[in-house]
Amino acid sequence: MEIGKSLFVAGKAGPAAQTVARVLIVDDEPRIREAYGALLAAEGREILTCANGADAMARLGNTEVDVMVLDLHLPDMHGTEIMAWLGEAGIDTAVVVFSGDDAIDSAILALRRGACEFIRKHADPEELIRTVDKAISRRRLERENARMTTRLEESERLHRFLVEYSPDIIYTLDPGGRFVFLNRRIESLLGYNRGELIGKHYSLIVHPMDLEQARSAFAERRVGLRATTNQEIRLRCRNLDVRSFENRTIVAMLSSQGIYQQEVDDGDAKRFVGTAGVLRDITERKHAEETISYQTYHDLLTGLPNRVLFRDRLNLAISQARRRGEVVGLMYIDLDRFKLVNDTHGQLEGDELLKSFARRVRECLRAGDTMSRQSGDEFTILLPDIADAEAVRTIAEKITTALKTPFIVGGRDFRCTASIGIAVFPDDAETPDHLLRDADIAMCQVKVQGKNGFLRYTEEMSRNHSERVDLDNELRIAIESGQLTLHYQPQVDIRRGRVTGVEALVRWEHPERGMLGPNTFIPLAEEGGLIFAISDWVLNEACRQQAIWIKRGIVDLKVAVNISPLEFTRADIVERILQPIRAHQLPPESIEIEITENMLMDDAETVIAKVQELRTHGLRISIDDFGTRFSSLNYLRRFPVNTIKIDQSFVRDLETSGCQSPVISAIVGIARGFGLNVLAEGVETENQIDALRLHGCDVMQGFRFSRPVPADEVMHYIATQQALETT
C-alpha cells in the first residue's frame, strides 16, 4: 500500500496549499512510479503515487490533485472506472492516461471519459513531461479563473471576463442565423476580426461539407436537455483555407440552445430572439484518436498496412471478385539472408533495409495494390482486379529485377534477394485464409529450391509442405534421441597411394524412412534453426572419433567437418568449434573445417575475421565447392585457407570433354599461386583420375575409392590401402 506516500516534494510549499501543484501517478509497477516520479518532479510540485485503483480513489477523495497520470490496467480495476468515478463524484482532476495498452478502443474510451491526453508507455518520456506541464498550466489558469469568479460573482464584469477569455468560441445569432456577438477566441482560433463577422451568416465559418449537418444546430430553438450538445463540425479560418494537423481543418464540438425574451404584455409568452452556442476546439483530441487508429492498422516502421488491415482488404477484394467473376492475386514475400544483416550490422541497419525494401517493391505495384508487412522480414502483396495468373508473374518478375540493384547496408553494397510465393483466387483457393496459406507454402518451396525467385502454388507443394512439417518435428526428436550418425569418406593421395584424411558426413537413421542423407534434412534444419544443434553434435562426434583413432596410433589422418554458412552469422562460432577439440584433447591441426565458396561473397569481411581466428588456434580450413560462384581472387588472397576442393561438377565434365578442363587447370594454377593444397571431389572413374593427375591434382575423394561408410569400415579401408602400399 502506498496511499498517502509522497515520493518527491520539490521546493518549499507556500503559505496556501493551492500554490503546490499535485501530481498523482497511479501505476502498479514500482519502477514506473519511481522513474516517472523523478522525471515529473519540479519546483512547486508534489508527486504522489498509488499502486491500485482503490488507493487512488481514496487519495482523490480527500486530497486536491491537479493532474493524475493513470495506467489503464490496474490490479483491482480498469482506469476508466476511476475516470467514471471522478465524474460521478464531481472531482475536477486532469487525467493523463499513460498506458501500455495498444487497443484503439481503450484509447478512444479514455479520451471520451475525459482524459486530456493518451500516451503510450513506449513513447518519448519528454511527451509525458510536456503533457503534464501543459495540464498543470491549464489547471493554474482554471484556478485563477475560479479566484476571479469569487471576486466578481454576480458582476457584469465577471460574466464579460468569462466570456471574453473562454478557451471556447462563444457566440449568439439572430433568428436569421447572423452573428450578433462573438468573443475574442474567434480571432486566435480562426483569424477573423470580430467586427467583420458581426451581421454575417454563420455559414461563413463552417466548412462547406458540414453545412447541412450544422444547419439545425445553428438554428436551435430548444433549451435544456433537448438542445444540441457535442455535435462535431469543421470550421474554416479567415483566408478560407482549411487549417489543422493533416487537412488544415479545425474540428469543433458545438453545443447550442435557443434564446427567448419574456413578453410582459402577453403574460407567460416568450419570444424567440436567436440562438446562443459554444464551439470547443477538439482538434488535438481528434488528432490523437486518428493517430491511435493509424497505429492500430499500420506498421510503424515501414508505414505499410499491417496484417489486420491487409486481411480486411483481402476479404473485401475476394468478396468483390466473387460477385464480379474476377481474379485476385496474392504474393507472400520473405527476404533472403535478412538475419545476416541484423546479426552483423545491428537492428538499426536491418530496419533501414526493411524500409528501403518496402519503398522499392511498392514502386513495382499499381495504385490499387496493397503491400503489407506481416512480421519481421515477411511481406504480402494483394493484387485485385487482375486479368489472369500471368499478370501476377509479370509483377513478380518486375520485383525480382528491381532487387538486383544493391542496397546500402552499413555503408557497403548488399544484394538483397527475396523468395516470393504466389497464389491466385479462385484457381488456387477460394478463402482468404487458404489463399494466404497457399502463397506461404509456395514461398517456402522457393526457399527449399535455393531462394531468390518466385513460384506459383501447386497441390504438390502442399503435400511436400506437409511432409516437411512432419520431417521437421521428427528431426527435433532425432537430435534428442540419438538418431544421428557420422559416416566418413576417405581422401586419397594418388601419388603416394595412401589415405590422408576423411570427411565426416552426417546421416539420419530414421526409424521408419531408413538412412537419410544430409540433402534431405540439412536445408530443413537451416530453415528451422536446428542446424546449430546438429553442428554441435557433428563437431563433438567427429572429435570423439578422431581421439579414438589417435589413441590407436593413427596420427597423420585429418578429419574434415562441414560448417553451415549460417554458423558464421553467430558471434560464438569460434568458441563452439574449439570447445570439442579441447574437450577431447586433440591437436587442432588434426581437424579441418570446410566452408563453402558462398561465404567468400556473403559478408566476406566478417567471415575472414572468424576464419583468421580459427587459423590462429591451429585449425585447418578448406573451401568446398570451389569454382561454382566465381569468387573474387582478392578475397581468396585474404582468406587464410589450406585447401581448395574442386567441385564435383567440374570433375564430371571430364567424362565428356576428354582430359582437358580449362576450369580445373585454372583452379590448380590458382592454388599453386597461393601455395594451397588441391582436392578433387566426386571422382568416380579411372578416366577422371588420369585426367586430374594430368592437371596436377593428386588428392581425390569419391565413390571410385569409397562411399561414405561408418568409422569401423573406413578403418578397414585404410588398413587395406596400407597393406597395398607395403606390397
Side-chain angles (χ1 to χ4, degrees), residues 117-334:
E117 190 64 67
F118 184 98
I119 302 175
R120 288 190 170 86
K121 284 188 177 180
H122 52 69
D124 186 349
E126 288 295 328
E127 185 177 354
L128 177 61
I129 294 172
R130 287 193 300 269
T131 300
V132 171
D133 289 345
K134 182 178 177 181
I136 290 175
S137 298
R138 183 161 186 158
R139 290 284 293 173
R140 286 174 179 164
L141 179 61
E142 291 171 353
R143 190 177 287 118
E144 192 67 33
N145 287 342
R147 281 199 292 268
M148 186 68 76
T149 300
T150 302
R151 293 194 208 103
L152 303 178
E153 189 173 3
E154 297 180 355
S155 165
E156 179 64 26
R157 289 177 57 203
L158 166 65
H159 298 301
R160 176 63 60 183
F161 175 82
L162 293 176
V163 170
E164 288 296 335
Y165 291 94
S166 170
D168 306 324
I169 296 175
I170 299 175
Y171 68 89
T172 58
L173 301 171
D174 66 14
R178 292 175 291 272
F179 286 110
V180 176
F181 170 79
L182 284 159
N183 69 345
R184 65 174 59 188
R185 180 60 170 151
I186 194 75
E187 299 175 354
S188 60
L189 191 60
L190 298 182
Y192 288 96
N193 184 290
R194 286 186 289 180
E196 65 181 309
L197 287 180
I198 299 300
K200 300 293 177 59
H201 196 266
Y202 68 82
S203 59
L204 186 65
I205 68 170
V206 178
H207 191 277
M209 295 181 65
D210 291 349
L211 274 174
E212 186 62 33
Q213 68 182 72
R215 184 171 288 113
S216 60
F218 280 101
E220 182 63 79
R221 288 174 173 264
R222 296 170 297 181
V223 297
L225 297 177
R226 299 175 57 204
T228 298
T229 58
N230 299 336
Q231 179 174 333
E232 291 184 13
I233 63 169
R234 288 172 292 176
L235 304 178
R236 300 189 300 178
C237 59
R238 188 186 185 287
N239 59 7
L240 302 183
D241 286 340
V242 186
R243 178 179 83 120
S244 89
F245 49 91
E246 281 184 356
N247 54 11
R248 306 284 297 164
T249 302
I250 290 178
V251 183
M253 191 75 78
L254 169 63
S255 298
S256 62
Q257 63 178 2
I259 307 173
Y260 291 86
Q261 183 178 19
Q262 188 89 26
E263 292 290 348
V264 178
D265 295 340
D266 296 337
D268 293 333
K270 296 180 180 180
R271 182 169 64 90
F272 175 69
V273 295
T275 302
V278 176
L279 288 161
R280 171 164 295 177
D281 181 16
I282 60 168
T283 304
E284 290 188 7
R285 195 190 84 187
K286 295 297 292 184
H287 173 50
E289 290 181 3
E290 292 194 13
T291 298
I292 293 169
S293 178
Y294 179 85
Q295 293 174 350
T296 301
Y297 296 110
H298 290 79
D299 172 55
L300 299 185
L301 176 65
T302 62
L304 296 174
N306 61 14
R307 64 171 64 194
V308 176
L309 181 55
F310 183 83
R311 177 59 67 92
D312 182 70
R313 292 184 181 179
L314 177 59
N315 286 334
L316 178 62
I318 289 180
S319 297
Q320 292 177 340
R322 185 176 285 116
R323 289 195 304 269
R324 301 170 183 172
E326 296 175 345
V327 177
V328 174
L330 181 68
M331 294 184 189
Y332 207 111
I333 305 177
D334 184 89

